[in-house]
Amino acid sequence: MTSATPAQQTQAQARAALRAAFASAFEREMSLSGGTASAQTALRAAATATRDVLALRWAQTQLADAKRGAEAPVRRVHYLSMEFLMGRALSNALAALGLDGDLRELLAAQGLQYSDVLEREPDMALGNGGLGRLAACFLDSFAELGLPSFGYGLRYQYGMFAQGIQDGRQIEMPDDWMRLGQPWEVPRPELRYHVGFGGRVVVEDGGARRWQPAEVLEAQAYDFIVPAHHSERVSTLRQWHASAAAPINFATFCEGDFMGAARHRVAADALNWVLYPDDSTEAGRELRLKQEAFLTSASLQDLIARHLREGAPLQELGLRNAVHLNDTHPALAPAELMRLLVDEHALGWDQAWAITRQAVSYTNHTLMPEALETWPVQMFEQLLPRHLEIIYEINQRFLTEVAQRFPGDTGLLQRVSLIDEGHGAGSGGQRRVRMAALSIVASHRVNGVAALHSELMVQTIFADFHRLFPDRFHNVTNGVTPRRWLQQCNPSLSALIDGRIGSTWRQDLMALQQLKPLAADVGFGAQFLAVKRANKQRLADLVRSQLGVALNPDSLFDVQIKRIHEYKRQLLNILHVIARYQAIVANPQADWTPRTVVIAGKAASAYHMAKSIIQLAHDVGRVINSDPRVGDKLKLVFLPNYGVSLAEIIIPAADLSEQISTAGTEASGTGNMKFALNGALTIGTWDGANIEMAQAMGVENMFVFGLRTEAVAQLKQQGYEPRKYVESNAQLKAVIEAIANGAFSFGDRDRYRVLVDKLLGQDVYMLMADFADYLAKQAEVDALFKQPAAWSQRAILNVAGMGAFSSDRTIEEYVARVWSRESLA
């Protein structure tokens, strides 16, 4: 028997020490509970024990990063995002540390089930949709690739909201995810920074301008540690918690006005409560702006303090540090960085601007002009007067350069100005600050998140800026982490893949290409379908327990889970379900492919049309699911309170992934990648990352339908008349009439009047134009699903083609083109 090498012996000793430390910490935490062995106490004990191990790795990582020399090829990345949709932490940490087996043994000794303990952990409510989940995947890849980095966000106490359903209607409730404590976070009481609002700007002796805020908040750091799975590196999510810098007004308190004595403290605490406060009110809009300013100021102060603490000169800040803006929410960063460098650290304007331009880069996530943030100048004057002065100065210098390059082109100056003088669409006649324009002007690199998105971005919303800075724009297609979105959420499929090609795909997703020859292997295909059916049964059990609806796991599971929005076209999905229902009722004896349609997602609290779509889904599901003529031929269920943990159950169970946005509206999408990675076929438009996925796996392996981007634009230009499509398609007309006549709303013709009128009138997202092609492609889906071997072959080819869609590849591209020192050359 071959003896272990010294390296292997050292590794084994380290492994034994890690397991012993974890077991000791777990036993210690369990003893603190008074000897009560419950799933909740075990969760806290396991989380705390795991966090202690990770804290040591965090310290080692920071020490190693601090020792990097001035000529290090990769700058430290500071990723600013309003949301990080992390999901549960315990299973990910245990998998990364290789301690899941150890915890199973420790729990068994306490008479507890491993799965019961994992289920007790709430999702971290720090995000909402794809933007936040992308940021979470990036943190995983930061750690895996050993990238010196910090993610920066806010510590939301109640998330966006917990979604409830009452009589088919969405209701919003606080997502009190920290109610029982948050054992994962590491408080950093030594890291506190002051953030100001309001007040005035004064001129000091010598002409320097100084902001005197009327309100001062204190930002305290709380760290969440994200481990690598194949090294001892970690990345850090640093969250900021707001509190008033001033204590209570003691005199007011003594007068008996207790609320008045603490009013400023409650106002400060409000910044911590909710992600994306309802912006339909002035107070809600003001709170959003304050949150964004708070995030950027605290994060940049922390960056500068670390940079100086490591002994680096301030002049090298941009050479050593990258500040990346995840969409326009943190777009105040350039103005705040300029304020800190000029006002607080006495650098000259030109030097500060050069540093800012080196440091800042920006990712755009939308093609919709209305989604590009703008803020009223008046609100800036009230809350951020010094920042407004700096933005004015940036704008004046920028427009002077543009005027010199393009003399006499006043239209160009108006379009690219950082200030909308009240003439732009959506300005309402108000002067507004254009945050995307500020981001572009201040950044050395600007990217879209899929090839088509990046192409359309420079042709439409940013065409003028591309004309000015053609080399500044580029594409970095999004990706997802295979550690969470295959290894953890689908262990059975992971084990099946490991058994055939090994486990290297966890680090190099391109290894999945080795599955291509196995797609035609009948035995492997049968095993693949068996894994899928087991995952479908797990989802069916969840639906039965939550909704009381029995699903047939042998039916085709047709899934659409994402933020509810008109452009994502959940309504088109529902129209197909109604058409299918009507056809089944008309001919129940036909050879129908049984189908289960699953929808999940939240609508913004003030988005009434999206909430109407949720209600329609419930109304249609209620009718179909209770109709004995239909039985298992068709079911429609809406799963409430969609989040990461729910997605981890739904995605492995999906046979068909609905990615049906109007062509030219979806920036990228990452749900499409997760579904394909787990063996679902895609029905989708030629939009976002669907295009690159189809090219990678073979377009014949995706069900592509609908108008292309060029055709959408051409039809709108010609004068799109949705009513004509309805009148010429008897099936579509029957669907629309059923909704309008109250067939799904107890005869109430008014419930969906606005929705129907919008479809027949404007139909901005072209549902009527794409309906016929969508149904034709759904018929192809039915036909293929009746051939299990052919279906599994295509599904396996989908998995094999997903190698390029790892977030590791995405981050490597950011490093090469944006975050390395070489990218500044």
Side-chain angles (χ1 to χ4, degrees):
M1 185 173 179
T2 306
S3 60
T5 65
Q8 289 172 330
Q9 291 176 350
T10 301
Q11 186 177 21
Q13 290 169 356
R15 180 92 195 115
L18 175 66
R19 296 176 65 184
F22 175 73
S24 176
F26 179 82
E27 296 293 351
R28 179 195 70 222
E29 293 299 321
M30 286 296 288
S31 68
L32 294 176
S33 68
T36 304
S38 69
Q40 187 63 47
T41 56
L43 170 64
R44 174 170 288 279
T48 304
T50 308
R51 186 198 64 196
D52 289 350
V53 174
L54 293 178
L56 292 174
R57 294 191 174 187
W58 184 89
Q60 293 166 358
T61 297
Q62 298 311 310
L63 185 63
D65 290 350
K67 289 181 178 178
R68 297 180 315 128
E71 299 304 317
V74 179
R75 300 180 290 167
R76 181 185 274 122
V77 175
H78 304 79
Y79 194 82
L80 275 59
S81 179
M82 284 300 286
E83 48 174 305
F84 289 86
L85 195 57
M86 303 302 299
R88 290 171 174 155
L90 182 57
S91 58
N92 180 65
L94 292 172
L97 296 169
L99 292 172
D100 42 351
D102 296 74
L103 181 59
R104 289 177 191 273
E105 292 177 8
L106 291 168
L107 292 175
Q110 298 282 346
L112 297 171
Q113 290 290 323
Y114 180 76
S115 59
D116 292 343
V117 172
L118 295 186
E119 286 297 317
R120 296 292 298 179
E121 182 180 8
D123 279 25
M124 298 174 66
L126 301 175
N128 171 41
L131 188 78
R133 188 51 235 172
L134 179 74
C137 284
F138 281 6
L139 289 176
D140 179 272
S141 290
F142 289 171
E144 192 71 12
L145 298 174
L147 182 68
S149 59
F150 278 84
Y152 282 111
L154 296 184
R155 183 175 177 262
Y156 304 107
Q157 186 173 355
Y158 302 114
M160 190 169 83
F161 59 79
Q163 181 191 53
I165 301 295
Q166 191 172 82
D167 298 326
R169 295 179 174 87
Q170 172 180 290
I171 57 172
E172 299 90 26
M173 303 167 289
D175 189 349
D176 197 3
W177 67 286
M178 289 193 284
R179 181 174 59 89
L180 298 176
Q182 168 50 325
W184 289 106
E185 65 186 13
V186 181
R188 304 290 185 195
E190 74 282 5
L191 296 178
R192 295 174 182 266
Y193 304 98
H194 283 174
V195 179
F197 294 102
R200 62 196 181 102
V201 179
V202 299
V203 181
E204 297 182 334
D205 294 340
R209 303 186 69 81
R210 181 73 60 181
W211 180 25
Q212 295 180 343
E215 177 187 12
V216 178
L217 305 186
E218 192 170 70
Q220 182 188 333
Y222 289 80
D223 285 352
F224 175 77
I225 303 170
V226 180
H229 283 245
H230 298 92
S231 76
E232 294 192 2
R233 292 279 306 188
V234 301
S235 65
T236 307
L237 170 57
R238 179 154 290 172
Q239 306 157 72
W240 298 111
H241 182 88
S243 60
I248 63 169
N249 186 316
F250 198 71
T252 303
F253 180 85
C254 291
E255 291 169 0
D257 184 3
F258 307 136
M259 294 299 294
R263 185 170 289 112
H264 63 293
R265 299 192 66 81
V266 174
D269 195 38
L271 270 71
N272 306 312
W273 291 347
V274 174
L275 166 67
Y276 301 141
D278 188 332
D279 61 358
S280 62
T281 66
E282 184 72 10
R285 290 188 289 273
E286 182 176 306
L287 183 57
R288 277 203 188 196
L289 180 57
K290 291 180 75 172
Q291 285 181 326
E292 294 177 5
F294 183 79
L295 166 64
T296 55
S297 181
S299 303
L300 292 173
Q301 289 184 67
D302 191 51
L303 181 162
I304 292 173
R306 184 185 307 106
H307 178 79
L308 296 176
R309 191 166 58 244
E310 293 177 356
L314 196 60
Q315 292 75 9
E316 293 184 3
L317 186 137
L319 294 173
R320 293 172 178 252
N321 298 279
V323 177
H324 198 86
L325 313 180
N326 189 27
D327 219 351
T328 53
H329 306 121
L332 269 167
E336 173 64 2
L337 185 54
M338 288 295 293
R339 185 191 71 81
L340 292 169
L341 294 175
V342 173
D343 295 1
E344 304 298 329
H345 294 276
L347 294 187
W349 179 277
D350 290 342
Q351 188 176 31
W353 183 242
I355 292 170
T356 299
R357 284 287 325 285
Q358 285 178 330
V360 176
S361 51
Y362 160 54
T363 294
N364 169 267
H365 287 275
T366 184
L367 290 169
M368 299 184 182
E370 65 272 19
L372 299 175
E373 277 198 328
T374 64
W375 293 105
V377 166
Q378 184 178 12
M379 188 177 290
F380 256 85
E381 289 172 338
Q382 293 170 352
L383 293 178
L384 302 164
R386 180 59 178 141
H387 296 77
L388 184 60
E389 287 187 347
I390 290 170
I391 290 170
Y392 280 155
E393 180 69 15
I394 294 171
N395 196 40
Q396 186 271 323
R397 292 173 180 241
F398 165 60
L399 292 182
T400 297
E401 292 180 9
V402 175
Q404 291 172 350
R405 290 178 58 188
F406 302 93
D409 195 342
T410 57
L412 176 63
L413 294 176
Q414 186 181 84
R415 293 192 301 273
V416 300
S417 173
L418 308 191
I419 307 298
D420 180 348
E421 298 294 343
H423 309 300
S427 68
Q430 281 185 316
R431 298 180 71 233
R432 302 181 72 89
V433 182
R434 294 165 165 160
M435 305 311 290
L438 174 61
S439 302
I440 295 169
V441 171
S443 294
H444 71 284
R445 296 289 268 167
V446 177
N447 71 279
V449 290
L452 177 64
H453 169 236
S454 295
E455 179 183 336
L456 294 175
M457 183 176 72
V458 299
Q459 293 174 358
T460 57
I461 53 174
F462 297 150
D464 289 313
F465 288 104
H466 184 251
R467 179 184 174 194
L468 297 173
F469 312 119
D471 296 332
R472 194 167 297 186
F473 292 85
H474 67 123
N475 175 63
V476 182
T477 298
N478 284 341
V480 301
T481 168
R483 270 80 60 182
R484 181 175 289 268
W485 293 111
L486 182 51
Q487 175 187 333
Q488 289 173 54
C489 79
N490 203 340
S492 298
L493 181 56
S494 297
L496 178 63
I497 294 171
D498 289 349
R500 292 300 186 104
I501 67 170
S503 62
T504 58
W505 56 268
R506 290 166 168 81
Q507 286 180 279
D508 178 11
L509 201 59
M510 292 302 294
L512 291 180
Q513 290 180 330
Q514 298 172 54
L515 292 174
K516 284 184 180 180
L518 295 172
D521 184 318
V522 176
F524 184 73
Q527 291 176 301
F528 185 90
L529 291 179
V531 167
K532 178 66 70 174
R533 193 188 187 283
N535 289 330
K536 290 165 72 174
Q537 184 63 61
R538 181 173 65 149
L539 176 57
D541 293 342
L542 176 71
V543 170
R544 183 67 177 263
S545 66
Q546 285 196 2
L547 305 180
V549 178
L551 303 183
N552 175 11
D554 293 318
S555 65
L556 186 155
F557 276 27
D558 176 353
V559 179
Q560 188 176 21
I561 50 174
K562 54 185 69 216
R563 176 168 56 97
I564 308 297
H565 196 289
E566 289 169 273
Y567 88 84
K568 294 181 182 289
R569 301 206 296 189
Q570 286 92 351
L571 183 53
L572 180 61
N573 188 354
I574 296 169
L575 297 182
H576 163 246
V577 172
I578 295 173
R580 193 178 190 89
Y581 168 65
Q582 291 174 332
I584 291 172
V585 170
N587 187 10
Q589 302 307 316
D591 184 20
W592 293 100
T593 299
R595 187 180 292 229
T596 296
V597 178
V598 178
I599 301 176
K602 297 179 181 179
S605 58
Y607 193 175
H608 299 296
M609 185 57 68
K611 294 171 91 168
S612 181
I613 292 170
I614 290 175
Q615 186 175 10
L616 179 61
H618 281 88
D619 279 347
V620 172
R622 172 180 46 78
V623 171
I624 292 174
N625 299 342
S626 61
D627 192 330
R629 297 171 295 179
V630 176
D632 282 347
K633 298 183 185 72
L634 181 62
K635 288 284 191 292
L636 169 61
V637 294
F638 186 102
L639 282 165
N641 206 33
Y642 175 61
V644 175
S645 293
L646 184 56
E648 289 173 343
I649 296 175
I650 296 174
I651 289 172
D655 293 308
L656 186 68
S657 164
E658 298 270 354
Q659 308 297 330
I660 58 177
S661 56
T662 312
T665 60
E666 185 69 80
S668 170
T670 52
N672 46 7
M673 303 171 188
K674 295 163 194 165
F675 278 110
L677 188 60
N678 283 272
L681 301 187
T682 300
I683 183 168
T685 49
W686 201 246
D687 196 27
N690 290 355
I691 299 170
E692 290 156 84
M693 287 171 54
Q695 292 166 342
M697 68 180 65
V699 69
E700 69 278 4
N701 295 311
M702 183 182 288
F703 298 100
V704 180
F705 77 96
L707 297 172
R708 303 275 173 117
T709 304
E710 303 81 3
V712 168
Q714 185 177 20
L715 185 55
K716 287 184 176 180
Q717 189 175 22
Q718 292 171 348
Y720 173 50
E721 297 182 54
R723 193 179 293 270
K724 286 187 176 180
Y725 287 86
V726 177
E727 294 299 331
S728 62
N729 186 321
Q731 195 172 22
L732 176 57
K733 185 176 183 180
V735 169
I736 299 298
E737 286 180 347
I739 298 171
N741 293 334
F744 303 101
S745 52
F746 301 102
D748 182 356
R749 293 169 176 253
D750 292 327
R751 182 176 297 182
Y752 299 113
R753 184 181 300 277
V754 173
L755 186 150
V756 170
D757 288 347
K758 201 166 185 179
L759 286 177
L760 296 178
Q762 295 176 307
D763 188 22
V764 175
Y765 297 107
M766 319 289 278
L767 281 72
M768 304 298 93
D770 277 348
F771 178 84
D773 197 19
Y774 180 50
L775 262 65
K777 199 59 63 172
Q778 290 284 14
E780 293 182 21
V781 171
D782 288 339
L784 186 66
F785 193 73
K786 289 177 179 177
Q787 308 170 57
W791 183 277
S792 68
Q793 182 172 358
R794 280 209 201 176
I796 294 166
L797 290 172
N798 269 247
V799 177
M802 290 305 295
F805 300 96
S806 167
S807 53
D808 295 348
R809 185 271 313 154
T810 305
I811 296 306
E812 287 171 343
E813 290 186 12
Y814 274 116
V815 169
R817 297 192 222 142
V818 186
W819 299 335
S820 65
R821 288 175 67 105
E822 186 179 342
S823 70
L824 300 175

